[in-house]
Amino acid sequence: MQRKLRTRAAARSGQPKSVKPSFRLPLEKIVLPAIAFLVVLLVWWVVAEFFTTLMPTPWQAFVDNLDYIFNPFFRRGPGNLGIGWLLLASLRRVLIGFLLGTLVAIPVGFWIGLSPRAMTAINPIVQLFRPVSPVAWLPIALSIFNLANPSAIFVIFITSLWPTVINTALGVASVPKDYLDVAQVLEMPRWRQMTKIIWPASLPYIFTGLRLSLGIAWLVIVAVEMLTGGIGIGFFIWDEWNRLSLSSVFLAVVVIGLTGLLLDYAITLIERWATHRPAKAM
Amino acid sequence: MVKSSQYSQPSEHRQAEFETDFLVVQDLVKAYPSAGGDPTVVLDNINLTVGANEFIAIIGHSGCGKSTLLKIVSGLEQATSGGVFLEGSPIKKPGADRMMVFQQYSLLPWLTVRENVRLAVNEVCDHLSPRDRTDLVEEHLAMVNLTAAAEKYPDELSGGMKQRVGIARALAIRPKMLLMDEPFGALDALTRGHLQRQVLDIWERNPQAVMMITHDVDEAIYMADRIVMMTNGPNAHIGEILEVPFDHPRDRTALRESKEYYELRNHALGFLDNYFEQMS
């Protein structure tokens, strides 16, 4: 009896220990990243304080940006807009270019995934242009369109092509043979095999391509807008640098980062809805 | 072989069983071209007939070409020479009259259980009204006890449940013949036994031609009417065909108590061991 009691007591005293790790985990997930962010802020502060006179300290940058943060949608005359408007202008360019790129990239990727001859024909073009920085297309676009806005959209269009083309082709070419065997045994006509088997089976790959495309497009738009000027978050950064207002640049960096995060998250939501499977971690 | 009195229950299907040569495999050879010049012969001169309501198990060591034989019957692969005839007409391409149950289930992961079965029904039974198709799907989901899981996706199912979907999908399109490629091979022992019983139940109620690939002697004896034992590849051929003398419905426990069961089992295992030694 006594031994039983003792073991029970031991079990009870042991219990909190075994519960702790699962209890600690969510806290860890907040505390550890917070520490990392603090380290970054510390480095920023040290650099701003001791190495340069142009850079604001984190706190000063925050205070300087309070107006932008609390009034993201002000209009104080031409070219003096809240950061929300600038963000929307950039987002609009990216989304139009990305959608146009997707409309071309998915069918082309599908085609070269299905047909080895199309792959032989088109693959060299893809391989040649894929490593080219999309910004290099800007002068060509400007020569065609003569306008900043369509040129920026064109550059995003080109940017969005390659990852989606490559991943779609890969997805289509690597549909498990088992699925195609099922289709064949069921005597599915070729067209329905494409819509009912090959398309849904390659969707996860296509979404991987879309996520890469959109991520790069969002990177590229900042550079493009710096060059083209006009309204947009990229030009805002360049403009503020010319006024030596570094605080606004830091704000833009944070806003661009958060927006990129949200764009990626939005695609994973669409992917989950479209494929009924969780998105792969990238 | 002697029929055990324990299994003397008459069953209707056995009379009609060997009347027609429902499926005929004739002088079948399968060879692959190889780098050295001489083609590698996988299957060498296979001759086999299967009755309209007969359950055939094909057993042999890995790499003996038994899966290739099943693929040729399904039409997914072509014979190099010789041929396969279903009700007299040659098999040239895959068809829904010879539906497959795959070892790795081959369910479409973006469709629910119900949608997986429905896809097959929609493809094959296009003469039926949507309502009749729905009935057909539900009937076969119920047959394998999956009505409660009908809205789940394959990812959410255990191996046994996945294979039940595979079986429901195969049976729902009412094939003339069922081809099973190691259907229980990927399952744990308990699930395997349970699912063997379930498939046998369904088959005993509605007998039809079945060709099942297996490497499990007990499974073959428990389920099949005849066991085709293949020699090792390359140049694999049919080594021996065993008649399983037990009547359906079969009871596994009673089978295990009979002397014939062990004689049959030892004979089959002896055959396989013999070839295994030759191989090593």
Side-chain angles (χ1 to χ4, degrees):
Chain A
M1 187 69 201
Q2 211 162 19
R3 188 184 292 165
K4 215 180 210 173
L5 275 177
R6 207 177 297 151
T7 54
R8 200 181 291 165
R12 200 181 295 153
S13 70
Q15 220 168 28
K17 264 182 200 156
S18 65
V19 168
K20 236 180 193 169
S22 64
F23 184 73
R24 201 195 291 159
L25 208 65
L27 205 66
E28 256 180 16
K29 282 190 174 162
I30 296 165
V31 169
L32 294 182
I35 292 171
F37 271 113
L38 281 177
V39 170
V40 171
L41 285 179
L42 184 74
V43 172
W44 174 1
W45 181 80
V46 169
V47 174
E49 198 68 42
F50 301 108
F51 292 93
T52 160
T53 47
L54 279 177
M55 239 169 94
T57 59
W59 174 251
Q60 201 185 340
F62 177 70
V63 174
D64 288 350
N65 285 316
L66 279 178
D67 179 38
Y68 277 121
I69 294 168
F70 287 111
N71 305 300
F73 289 102
F74 65 73
R75 285 177 184 277
R76 297 170 190 157
N80 189 3
L81 299 173
I83 198 159
W85 294 116
L86 306 177
L87 191 65
L88 285 179
S90 299
L91 270 177
R92 188 169 154 270
R93 283 185 198 109
V94 164
L95 290 182
I96 293 174
F98 171 72
L99 285 178
L100 290 175
T102 302
L103 284 180
V104 174
I106 291 181
V108 169
F110 215 86
W111 183 42
I112 66 179
L114 285 175
S115 151
R117 295 184 72 188
M119 175 70 103
T120 314
I122 294 174
N123 194 38
I125 301 180
V126 176
Q127 297 306 330
L128 177 68
F129 290 142
R130 195 172 57 107
V132 177
S133 165
V135 186
W137 290 91
L138 189 60
I140 298 164
L142 284 168
S143 76
I144 299 171
F145 298 106
N146 256 323
L147 284 167
N149 204 35
S151 302
I153 290 172
F154 178 80
V155 171
I156 298 301
F157 165 79
I158 295 279
T159 310
S160 308
L161 286 180
W162 316 123
T164 306
V165 167
I166 292 166
N167 280 283
T168 305
L170 181 70
V172 169
S174 56
V175 172
K177 195 170 177 304
D178 288 3
Y179 301 169
L180 297 175
D181 282 352
V182 171
Q184 281 199 303
V185 171
L186 294 174
E187 297 174 82
M188 256 190 201
R190 186 71 181 146
W191 174 250
R192 272 224 292 286
Q193 284 191 26
M194 286 191 221
T195 57
K196 297 263 177 189
I197 308 280
I198 299 174
W199 168 255
S202 46
L203 262 185
Y205 288 85
I206 294 174
F207 272 102
T208 301
L210 292 179
R211 280 175 77 182
L212 288 170
S213 285
L214 189 59
I216 300 172
W218 189 238
L219 287 179
V220 165
I221 194 65
V222 175
V224 169
E225 285 174 350
M226 280 183 181
L227 292 167
T228 61
I231 297 167
I233 196 88
F235 182 65
F236 174 78
I237 290 184
W238 201 243
D239 201 31
E240 295 298 304
W241 160 240
N242 285 332
R243 298 171 197 208
L244 295 182
S245 155
L246 263 290
S247 298
S248 312
V249 174
F250 281 108
L251 175 70
V253 166
V254 172
V255 167
I256 290 169
L258 287 176
T259 310
L261 212 60
L262 284 178
L263 286 176
D264 193 59
Y265 182 63
I267 292 207
T268 62
L269 284 188
I270 298 172
E271 176 175 1
R272 213 175 300 164
W273 169 80
T275 64
H276 307 293
R277 279 169 289 176
K280 283 172 289 188
M282 279 189 7
Chain B
M1 295 213 183
V2 197
K3 277 202 174 184
S4 159
S5 58
Q6 254 178 297
Y7 299 99
S8 58
Q9 277 176 290
S11 57
E12 289 142 22
H13 71 271
R14 288 196 72 90
Q15 277 93 53
E17 196 170 86
F18 302 112
E19 276 175 14
T20 52
D21 292 335
F22 181 73
L23 181 91
V24 179
V25 180
Q26 204 171 55
D27 305 328
L28 183 112
V29 176
K30 177 69 180 176
Y32 292 105
S34 71
D38 283 341
T40 315
V41 179
V42 183
L43 293 168
D44 193 10
N45 201 27
I46 307 284
N47 283 286
L48 178 68
T49 59
V50 182
N53 292 325
E54 196 180 11
F55 197 129
I56 290 265
I58 298 177
I59 198 164
H61 288 297
S62 322
C64 74
K66 52 195 195 304
S67 284
T68 309
L69 177 59
L70 195 79
K71 284 224 165 90
I72 292 172
V73 173
S74 78
L76 288 170
E77 282 195 38
Q78 304 298 316
T80 310
S81 72
V84 184
F85 303 87
L86 185 73
E87 294 182 312
S89 37
I91 288 171
K92 290 180 180 139
K93 58 187 182 65
D97 52 353
R98 287 153 282 132
M99 185 58 185
M100 282 268 265
V101 173
F102 298 85
Q103 182 178 10
Q104 293 302 330
Y105 325 123
S106 291
L107 303 178
L108 305 176
W110 57 88
L111 298 178
T112 62
V113 167
R114 180 178 279 124
E115 288 165 347
N116 262 289
V117 180
R118 178 75 187 216
L119 177 96
V121 170
N122 280 347
E123 255 351 281
V124 177
C125 312
D126 40 13
H127 54 281
L128 292 180
S129 70
R131 213 208 146 110
D132 288 345
R133 292 183 202 178
T134 307
D135 290 345
L136 204 56
V137 171
E138 296 308 318
E139 178 195 331
H140 286 87
L141 287 178
M143 194 185 271
V144 294
N145 301 329
L146 276 175
T147 307
E151 292 302 315
K152 290 197 167 157
Y153 287 94
D155 292 358
E156 303 169 274
L157 304 179
S158 66
M161 288 169 94
K162 282 183 194 163
Q163 196 53 293
R164 273 148 61 195
V165 183
I167 290 161
R169 175 174 68 182
L171 293 173
I173 60 171
R174 304 263 157 90
K176 285 180 183 164
M177 182 167 192
L178 202 59
L179 306 175
M180 302 202 279
D181 187 4
E182 299 194 26
F184 314 112
L187 305 175
D188 66 87
L190 280 173
T191 314
R192 192 185 306 151
H194 191 71
L195 210 52
Q196 285 166 353
R197 180 67 256 162
Q198 213 166 6
V199 169
L200 211 50
D201 274 341
I202 294 168
W203 183 82
E204 280 161 355
R205 261 179 275 139
N206 277 304
Q208 65 174 146
V210 176
M211 192 183 254
M212 179 177 77
I213 304 291
T214 181
H215 53 243
D216 180 344
V217 171
D218 291 303
E219 179 173 290
I221 299 175
Y222 177 47
M223 298 184 77
D225 294 317
R226 279 192 298 159
I227 303 172
V228 176
M229 296 195 286
M230 307 270 295
T231 64
N232 287 333
N235 299 307
H237 52 274
I238 293 175
E240 196 179 335
I241 297 181
L242 278 181
E243 295 272 344
V244 182
F246 310 120
D247 272 352
H248 291 277
R250 288 179 184 166
D251 173 4
R252 200 192 307 255
T253 325
L255 272 185
R256 285 210 185 107
E257 282 164 10
S258 75
K259 209 171 132 230
E260 288 92 336
Y261 177 84
Y262 282 99
E263 282 170 1
L264 213 55
R265 188 171 186 272
N266 286 336
H267 186 84
L269 285 174
F271 175 92
L272 291 173
D273 279 347
N274 192 17
Y275 274 95
F276 193 67
E277 276 157 22
Q278 279 182 18
M279 196 164 60
S280 49

